[in-house]
Every structure is written in structure tokens, then in C-alpha cells.
Amino acid sequence: MLHELFTPSVQHALDLVGIFVFAISGALLAVRKNFDVFGIAVLAEVTALGGGLFRDLIIGAVPPAAFTDLGYFLMPLVATVLVFFLHPQVERTQTAVNVFDAAGLGLFCVAGTVKAYEYGLGLTSSAALGLATAVGGGVLRDVLANEVPSLLRWDRDLYAVPAIVGATMVVLCIRFEVLNDVTSGLAALTAFVLRLLAMRFHWRAPRAWNRRSSATEETEKATAW
Amino acid sequence: MLHELFTPSVQHALDLVGIFVFAISGALLAVRKNFDVFGIAVLAEVTALGGGLFRDLIIGAVPPAAFTDLGYFLMPLVATVLVFFLHPQVERTQTAVNVFDAAGLGLFCVAGTVKAYEYGLGLTSSAALGLATAVGGGVLRDVLANEVPSLLRWDRDLYAVPAIVGATMVVLCIRFEVLNDVTSGLAALTAFVLRLLAMRFHWRAPRAWNRRSSATEETEKATAW
Amino acid sequence: MLHELFTPSVQHALDLVGIFVFAISGALLAVRKNFDVFGIAVLAEVTALGGGLFRDLIIGAVPPAAFTDLGYFLMPLVATVLVFFLHPQVERTQTAVNVFDAAGLGLFCVAGTVKAYEYGLGLTSSAALGLATAVGGGVLRDVLANEVPSLLRWDRDLYAVPAIVGATMVVLCIRFEVLNDVTSGLAALTAFVLRLLAMRFHWRAPRAWNRRSSATEETEKATAW
């Protein structure tokens, strides 16, 4: 089967880096939520592998890479040990963590788009799945931690847009047959830099037009159906 | 493969209508939760496509229709734009939205049951999957919005029962070999009307026998394990 | 296909017992959360079948056993009826429920590991999937009930460790080619007894090293990103 053979070393290395940095972000949230060491490990695994797992289930690449590649599975455990013993130091380097998370975002949106396309999805679907690969783990992380997903909140700096731009660059490269290591690296870099800029300048996406700005989430709850 | 060929125009049109109305309900909740425009789009997509995605993963129809049919993917984006700019007007037509959501419920429980059966599931399983198709998107919507799923709450009008009735009618029609456009339309209509009646007369399902009626969700939390 | 044929009677019987006891735990939480009878049934089904469903999607065993075996689907409905009418009595037997849940944990971690291995996964992945089979339903239960998963919380007695031990025993038996009804039963029993001991002596897993012990979940929320 195709997915047994499909492990070009470049994408594999990129995946491992992305998995590690996402695992760190999951493990840190677990520490903040006061989870025990197994909770930390679970949240690290889910954050790191959730997006790719979703992608692989959608494209029919079963068993997913997360369960066939031991490195994918072990990387989050390394992140767990690191955060478990050194979390105050890791916390203090929050900026570094954010930078790594931005790198993971860039790498995953490119790798996810490429893999989806190689499994026969259309260009738009491949880009959508690239986005899902990049942000899916973080959404699962927040759902398991019983928080509103950071991705959806208006008071967080742009996160989806950089991934959308990166994934779109990849499908344009595919469309015009110029996808290679350089152009896909450029797409990942663009997403990475855009995310850094979004954090630096607190770029935010607009909320619904005509939104009563005085409305807060609390008053919303009273009227929610 | 079967699922590549399986796109009868009737079910496709019904699916698009159901997707649109469910997307509206997801987008409206996102506005109420104060999400930004990307959060609105994500919640619209998840609400509209989540149930069918779950069904397709279960029956092995990968990649799921949500990722192979561009219309399925674009419909929720149209709903997002509509709600983004016109949400006060859409809110004011809450009754209309509820009616459309009831229509989506009827359409999805029938379409989901039929597709599950065509992929070889048994009658009971097909009905269960029809129900999951109809209500799955709404459950995912509420989970992502960090709310207790509306489907599960006792203080909401009947939602599952109309879908169960519709799905059961479909499997009975299959069993007695009278399933056609008319009978499946009748099943969808029955679910639709039952849901409208449930909203009109506030039909509710019973809670557990001997339940201390004074107990509220708040006091529950203290004793929950 | 393999998964059509794969139903040895021993694993089937074990599965049914495990499904029933997990369904009871889901139904009881639903009653505590004040859900209506359909909410109770949904939470019973999800708790009982969620872990196995996840495993089957991962290993490509579609449609999953939960949708091909009518007994798997009906068992949680029996549990729902039982809890619906007799929940005060069931609550009063909380100890019995906990013991049964421990039995389910032992049975599922073994059955999940074996099935994953039979579908071609590696030893480590099989053990991980055995763990996921055992705890997945409970995590889904808590997510749907809008609670922090019991599995992740540091203030709960060890739950993952017994399942990890049981799954590890199974893969060691596979590795040394001594897996049979006796050794797999022994692995399930070990996980079962370990879980009982963890509850009896309130064994807990450590939180992150250097964790300010005064920090509570509430103050965490303020600083969470």
C-alpha cells in the first residue's frame, strides 16, 4: 500500500520537529491545569499527534503514522520528561516555546497539505486538511483540558491565517508544478514568519459585523440556546 | 470504489441544504461565544460536516464526502459570510433558523441511514448511524464551544427522538423493500414535523426515575466524581 | 477481510462484560449531570464503545465492531434502563460499580492490545492502543459531560498505570510467544487488581517537579494562555 512506502526523509524529519514543539505546548498546558504526569503525557501525545491522526483517518492512511512510526510516539514522551522536570525553566522561555510552536505550525501545514494531496485529495481539500493537520492537535489539547479552543477565540493573535497562507502556497506550487524542497520550505517559512509577526503585533481577526462590543462571554451564556 | 460512484443527485441536493442550515446554527453559536471570523467558519464547518464525517469514517467511505465534494466544503463558508455580516437579522429570525435546523435534522437522519445501509451495515446499525449523522455535528459544535451538548440536556426540547423516528422509518422501508424517493421524503418530513411539534409544545424526555427534582447541575458538580 | 472473520468467542464475551460495566459508569455520570433518558443512553454508548471505536478506526477495522455486533450496541441500552430506574440503588453500590469499572479496564486493555497486534501494529503501538481502548471511552464520557477528563486529573487514583501494566504484559507475552487464554487472563487480572489497590490506598501519580503546591486550578486559569 502507498502509505507503507511513503516516508521521504525530509518530511519525516520535519514531522519529528513539529511533533516535539507541539508536545511541549501540550505538556505546558497540562502542568498549568495541574494534571499528573500521565495527564501531561496524554496531553503531549494528543497535541503533537492529533492533527496528523485526524488527517490520516480522513485520507485513509491507516494505521496512521502516529502508530507505525515509533519516533512519532516517543517524541512527546521526551517532551513530557523535559517539561515534568524543567517546567519553570521552560515556562520562563515562553517566548522560545511560542517561536517553536510557530515553527510547528509552519511545518505541519505544509506536510499535511502535501500528504493529503499525495493520497488523492483535490487542491482545496488538501489545503483544508493541511490547516487541520496544523491546528487540529491544539484544538484537541484545549478540548481535553476543558477550555474554549484557543484557535476559535477572538482575543488571541492570528493562528489559522498563517497556516492557511502556507497551505495555499503549497497547493499553488502543486498547481503550477513547482513544488520541491525549496518551495515547500518557503511556504513553511512564510507561515512561520506570519505567525511570529501576528504574535509580535497582536494581529487579530475581526468578530462578527455589528457585534455589540459590550457583550461579554458571560452575558452570552445567559442567552445561548 | 463504491463511494466514488455513489452520488445520486437527490441525496446530494438534500445534503447541501442540510449542510447549509446546520452551518448557520454553528455560526450563530460562534457569534454568541464571541469567536472571531475564523472561529465562526470552523464552527460552521464542524457543525455542518461533523455528523457526515463521523458516518463516513465509520463505514470506511474515505476520503469522506466532506473532503471530496467542494460544495460540501464551501456551503458552510457561505453561511459564515451571511452570519458574519447579517447576524442580528439572522438572530431575529431565530424561529426560521430553528425551522431550518429541524429540516436539516430530518434530511440528515434519512440520508445518513441510507448511506450507512448502502455500505453494508445492518438495519439497526444503519439507523443508529443515521441518528449520529443528524445529531453528531451539533454535539461537536457544543463540545468545541465548551458547552454541555444541547442534545444531552434534559431542559431542551426533544431533538433525538424525531431523528430516531425518521431513521427507523427508513430502515422499515428498507426491510419491506418500499424505500424510494417518496417514502424517504416522508420519513424526513415526519422527523421534521415531530421536531417542530417538540419545539412548539416543549416536549421533553424524562430524567432518571426517582431523581431528586431539587438537584441542580451546580450541586451535582460538587458531588460528581 | 480479516476483521469480518475475527470474532473469537472468548474476546467477544470479555468485550460484552467490559462494555456493560463501562456503560454503567457513563449512565451514572449522565444522571449526575441531570441529562434526560436520551442523554443517559448516549453517554452510556459513548463510554462503553468509544475506546474500541477509536481503536478500530486507527487499525482500519471498519465498520467498527460497535456497528457490526448488535450485542455491543444493545448492552449500553440495557445499562441505561437499569440506571434509569434503579440509579439510587446503583449509586449506593458505588463500590461495586468501581470494582466493575476496574474489571472493564483490565479486560479492555488486554482485548485492545491483542486486536491491535492482530491487525499488524508493532508491539509498542499495540500496547498504546490497548491503553487507548481501555481509557478512551471514559475520556470521551468526560468531554461530552463538559468535565476535565478524570484520567488526566492528579487528584484521582491511578487509572492509566494498571492499564499500561496490563497492556505491557500482553505485548511481552506476544514477544515471547506465550500469549494464550491463561496469560492474557493473568494480564487482565493484574490490571484489575492494581486498579483495586490504587483505589483502596489512593495511589496517585506525581505532578510536575517543582510545582508550586499552592497553585490551584482556579489561579491557573487566570494565567493560562
Side-chain angles (χ1 to χ4, degrees), chain C residues 6-7 17 26 34 36-37 52 56 68 74 77 82-83 96 104 109 113-114 132 156 167 179 181 187 194 210 217:
Chain C
F6 174 73
T7 49
V17 174
N34 221 2
D36 69 22
V37 61
D56 288 351
T68 54
L74 294 179
L77 299 185
L82 204 79
V83 168
C109 75
T113 305
V114 170
R156 300 299 154 90
L179 188 75
D181 285 3
L194 275 179
N210 291 325
E217 205 170 289

Side-chain angles (χ1 to χ4, degrees), chain B residues 57-58 60 121 124-125 128-129 139 143 146-149 152-154 161 205-209 211 215 220 225, chain C residues 25 31-39 42 53 57 62-64 67 70 73 84-85 87-88 141 143-144 146 156:
Chain B
L57 288 179
I58 294 294
L121 265 66
T124 310
S125 298
L129 216 41
V139 170
V143 166
N146 203 15
E147 311 232 322
V148 172
L152 307 177
R153 301 180 56 158
W154 77 276
V161 173
R207 284 174 291 165
W209 213 256
R211 190 84 176 69
E220 297 309 303
W225 71 58
Chain C
S25 101
V31 171
R32 286 174 192 162
K33 296 287 287 190
N34 221 2
F35 293 169
D36 69 22
V37 61
F38 296 102
V42 167
L53 204 64
L57 288 179
V62 289
F67 283 92
L70 208 57
F73 178 74
F84 184 81
F85 286 109
H87 76 97
R141 174 198 64 203
V143 165
L144 284 187
N146 204 15
R156 300 299 154 90

Side-chain angles (χ1 to χ4, degrees), chain B residues 21-217:
Chain B
V21 294
F22 277 154
I24 293 280
S25 100
L28 281 176
L29 180 59
V31 171
R32 285 173 193 164
K33 296 286 288 189
N34 222 1
F35 293 168
D36 69 21
V37 61
F38 295 102
I40 300 172
V42 167
L43 218 57
E45 293 279 357
V46 165
T47 310
L49 304 177
L53 204 64
F54 176 74
R55 176 201 58 205
D56 288 352
L57 288 179
I58 294 294
I59 61 180
V62 289
F67 283 91
T68 53
D69 187 312
L70 208 57
Y72 288 5
F73 178 75
L74 294 178
M75 211 48 122
L77 298 184
V78 174
T80 300
V81 171
L82 204 78
V83 168
F84 185 81
F85 287 109
L86 301 173
H87 77 97
Q89 287 84 335
V90 178
E91 290 269 17
R92 220 171 296 140
T93 59
Q94 184 65 53
T95 310
V97 172
N98 282 340
V99 171
F100 276 114
D101 184 77
L105 187 73
L107 295 170
F108 270 38
C109 75
V110 171
T113 306
V114 171
K115 187 164 184 185
Y117 184 75
E118 288 185 332
Y119 270 75
L121 265 66
L123 292 176
T124 310
S125 298
S126 296
L129 216 41
L131 171 64
T133 307
V135 305
V139 170
L140 276 175
R141 173 198 65 203
D142 296 341
V143 166
L144 284 186
N146 203 15
E147 311 232 322
V148 172
S150 179
L151 177 76
L152 307 177
R153 301 180 56 158
W154 77 276
D155 56 348
R156 300 300 153 91
D157 305 327
L158 283 187
Y159 196 88
V161 173
I164 293 172
V165 170
T168 305
M169 285 177 68
V170 171
V171 295
L172 287 178
C173 288
I174 292 172
R175 176 70 187 73
F176 296 107
E177 293 177 9
V178 293
L179 188 76
N180 53 41
D181 285 4
V182 175
T183 53
S184 62
L186 207 68
L189 190 68
T190 305
F192 172 59
V193 170
L194 275 179
R195 170 63 184 153
L196 289 185
L197 291 172
M199 286 192 291
R200 177 72 186 74
F201 298 107
H202 297 300
W203 289 343
R204 279 170 194 179
R207 284 174 291 165
W209 213 256
N210 291 326
R211 190 84 176 69
R212 290 91 56 211
S213 60
S214 62
T216 67
E217 204 169 292

Side-chain angles (χ1 to χ4, degrees), chain C residues 7-205:
Chain C
T7 49
S9 62
V10 172
Q11 182 169 331
H12 189 251
L14 294 181
D15 277 358
L16 286 180
V17 174
I19 283 168
F20 182 74
V21 293
F22 277 155
I24 294 279
S25 101
L28 281 177
L29 180 59
V31 171
R32 286 174 192 162
K33 296 287 287 190
N34 221 2
F35 293 169
D36 69 22
V37 61
F38 296 102
I40 299 172
V42 167
L43 218 57
E45 293 278 358
V46 164
T47 309
L49 304 176
L53 204 64
F54 176 75
R55 175 202 59 204
D56 288 351
L57 288 179
I58 294 294
I59 61 180
V62 289
F67 283 92
T68 54
D69 187 312
L70 208 57
Y72 289 5
F73 178 74
L74 294 179
M75 210 48 125
L77 299 185
V78 174
T80 300
V81 171
L82 204 79
V83 168
F84 184 81
F85 286 109
L86 301 173
H87 76 97
Q89 287 84 334
V90 178
E91 290 270 16
R92 220 171 295 139
T93 58
Q94 184 65 52
T95 310
V97 172
N98 282 339
V99 170
F100 277 114
D101 184 77
L105 187 74
L107 296 170
F108 271 38
C109 75
V110 171
T113 305
V114 170
K115 186 165 183 184
Y117 183 76
E118 287 185 333
Y119 270 76
L121 264 66
L123 292 176
T124 310
S125 298
S126 296
L129 216 41
L131 171 64
T133 307
V135 305
V139 169
L140 277 174
R141 174 198 64 203
D142 295 340
V143 165
L144 284 187
N146 204 15
E147 310 232 322
V148 172
S150 178
L151 177 75
L152 307 176
R153 300 180 57 160
W154 77 277
D155 55 349
R156 300 299 154 90
D157 305 326
L158 282 188
Y159 197 88
V161 173
I164 293 172
V165 170
T168 305
M169 284 177 67
V170 172
V171 295
L172 287 178
C173 288
I174 293 172
R175 176 70 186 73
F176 295 107
E177 294 177 8
V178 293
L179 188 75
N180 53 42
D181 285 3
V182 175
T183 53
S184 61
L186 206 69
L189 190 69
T190 305
F192 172 60
V193 171
L194 275 179
R195 170 64 184 154
L196 290 185
L197 291 172
M199 286 192 291
R200 176 73 186 75
F201 299 107
H202 298 300
W203 289 342
R204 279 170 194 178

